Amino acid sequence: MNDARQRQRLAFQLGFFALFLLAPVFNLFRYDLDAGHAWLLGFEWRLGLDEFLAGRIGASEAAANVLLRLFLPLFAGAAVFLLIARRWGRLYCGWLCPHFSVVEAINGLMMRASGKPSLWEREALPPWQADGSPRQYSPGWWLLVVPATVVFAFAWAVIFLTYLLPPAEVYGNLWQGTPTRNQALFIGAFTTLLSLEFLFARHLFCRYACAVGLFQSLVWMGNRDAMVVGFQRSRGNDCNRCLPERQSACDMACPMRLNPRNIKRHMFTCTQCAQCLSACATSQRDNPGGPLLLWVKDAAARQNEAGFRPGKQDRTGD
């Protein structure tokens, strides 16, 4: 069940990344700086200001065009997006966001290189997988970490440029090795900045700098009935048998470096990726009572929300 959930999540991430890549190519969504208008679902999307500047319509009609063609769609889309977040949390981040996909990929590479998912982790994580098998790492993986990060950053820079300029021009110039000066400057600067962000600050960006994630978290925190990771506190003693030396598989699984059994306000940036649930289910696979972590909502979210953060010396829940 949990492996199936993670495979499903990966399929959603890959599908959305393909959409992120191909949307400009098929004019599904982009703004063309050369043409001076946007594209939406294959059609030109104009605000109707050209007619106003040419004197063919008045100020009131121009204002109505801006309201109906820009602000109304934006507000409607934002409202739907936040209503989803209010009910299910940062679902976009954990299941669709291309940036979070990169976060997870680089986390995995760094784990293989150093035993730590981030450069800012104080110590290497305990050397066990969720199923209790040894976790292996080797410094030789650093030879892949940095190049992979630069490749991710370069790909993002090029894709972002296609949202501003005709994709055929951007990809054609790159293929021929003849990007314009401005294109080369954009790609070079953006690749450098993203490489630094992916290497050193990807978690910090997701937790503190991403406006999309922040607004999702705010509306989610305001709804006490929203879906949240719940912990069966009455079975806290089972955590002692999770991994050797009373370590917790769920703590090691979170790509945002959160403690999944903590209270909701300390899970502000939870992305609902369910990796902690999968790790718990794997580590408790032989437990007749099943996993201790599960998604809960509505009244159960109020009653069964994770309510404490056990220390290393006390994981009994007593």
Side-chain angles (χ1 to χ4, degrees), residues 133-310:
S133 62
R135 185 193 304 274
Q136 304 292 335
Y137 63 90
S138 169
W141 279 91
W142 283 112
L143 297 176
L144 184 59
V145 172
V146 176
T149 300
V150 175
V151 169
F152 281 132
F154 175 79
W156 269 57
V158 173
I159 293 172
F160 272 121
L161 187 58
T162 64
Y163 277 85
L164 302 173
L165 296 175
E169 175 188 337
V170 174
Y171 289 125
N173 288 348
L174 285 176
W175 179 257
Q176 298 173 13
T178 58
T180 66
R181 178 177 179 275
N182 287 339
Q183 291 173 6
L185 286 174
F186 181 93
I187 293 174
F190 217 83
T191 298
T192 300
L193 291 174
L194 281 175
S195 296
L196 294 174
E197 192 267 337
F198 287 157
L199 274 175
F200 301 107
R202 59 191 183 281
H203 302 104
L204 299 177
F205 177 84
C206 289
R207 296 181 72 168
Y208 304 114
C210 178
V212 175
L214 175 63
F215 282 108
Q216 288 180 93
S217 293
L218 288 173
V219 297
W220 177 64
M221 293 294 291
N223 180 15
R224 292 186 60 197
D225 293 333
M227 185 176 72
V228 68
V229 174
F231 176 64
Q232 298 186 38
R233 293 187 291 273
S234 61
R235 296 177 52 212
N237 282 324
D238 288 346
C239 282
N240 291 334
R241 296 186 291 273
C242 183
L243 289 178
E245 298 183 13
R246 305 175 76 178
Q247 299 290 339
S248 297
C250 60
D251 289 348
M252 294 186 288
C254 179
M256 291 292 281
R257 311 311 306 135
L258 304 175
N259 301 313
R261 290 166 293 164
N262 219 328
I263 57 178
K264 185 176 178 179
R265 68 175 180 271
H266 292 160
M267 295 290 290
F268 182 79
T269 55
C270 174
T271 62
Q272 311 291 19
C273 70
Q275 292 196 54
C276 58
L277 277 70
S278 297
C280 183
T282 299
S283 66
Q284 301 291 332
R285 63 194 180 283
D286 297 325
N287 190 330
L292 286 80
L293 294 180
L294 67 161
W295 270 333
V296 295
K297 59 183 180 179
D298 299 327
R302 295 173 179 260
Q303 301 169 4
N304 198 26
E305 178 185 317
F308 73 104
R309 168 70 178 110

Side-chain angles (χ1 to χ4, degrees), residues 58-114:
S60 59
E61 189 174 351
N65 285 340
V66 173
L67 176 64
L68 294 175
R69 299 182 188 182
L70 178 61
F71 290 108
L72 188 60
L74 286 178
F75 288 150
V80 172
F81 184 75
L82 292 178
L83 284 173
I84 293 173
R86 175 176 169 78
R87 184 63 174 167
W88 292 286
R90 293 176 67 162
L91 209 60
Y92 168 78
C93 296
W95 288 69
L96 298 177
C97 177
H99 182 273
F100 192 71
S101 303
V102 174
V103 169
E104 293 186 88
I106 298 177
N107 280 3
L109 291 174
M110 284 194 175
M111 281 290 294
R112 291 178 177 271
S114 65

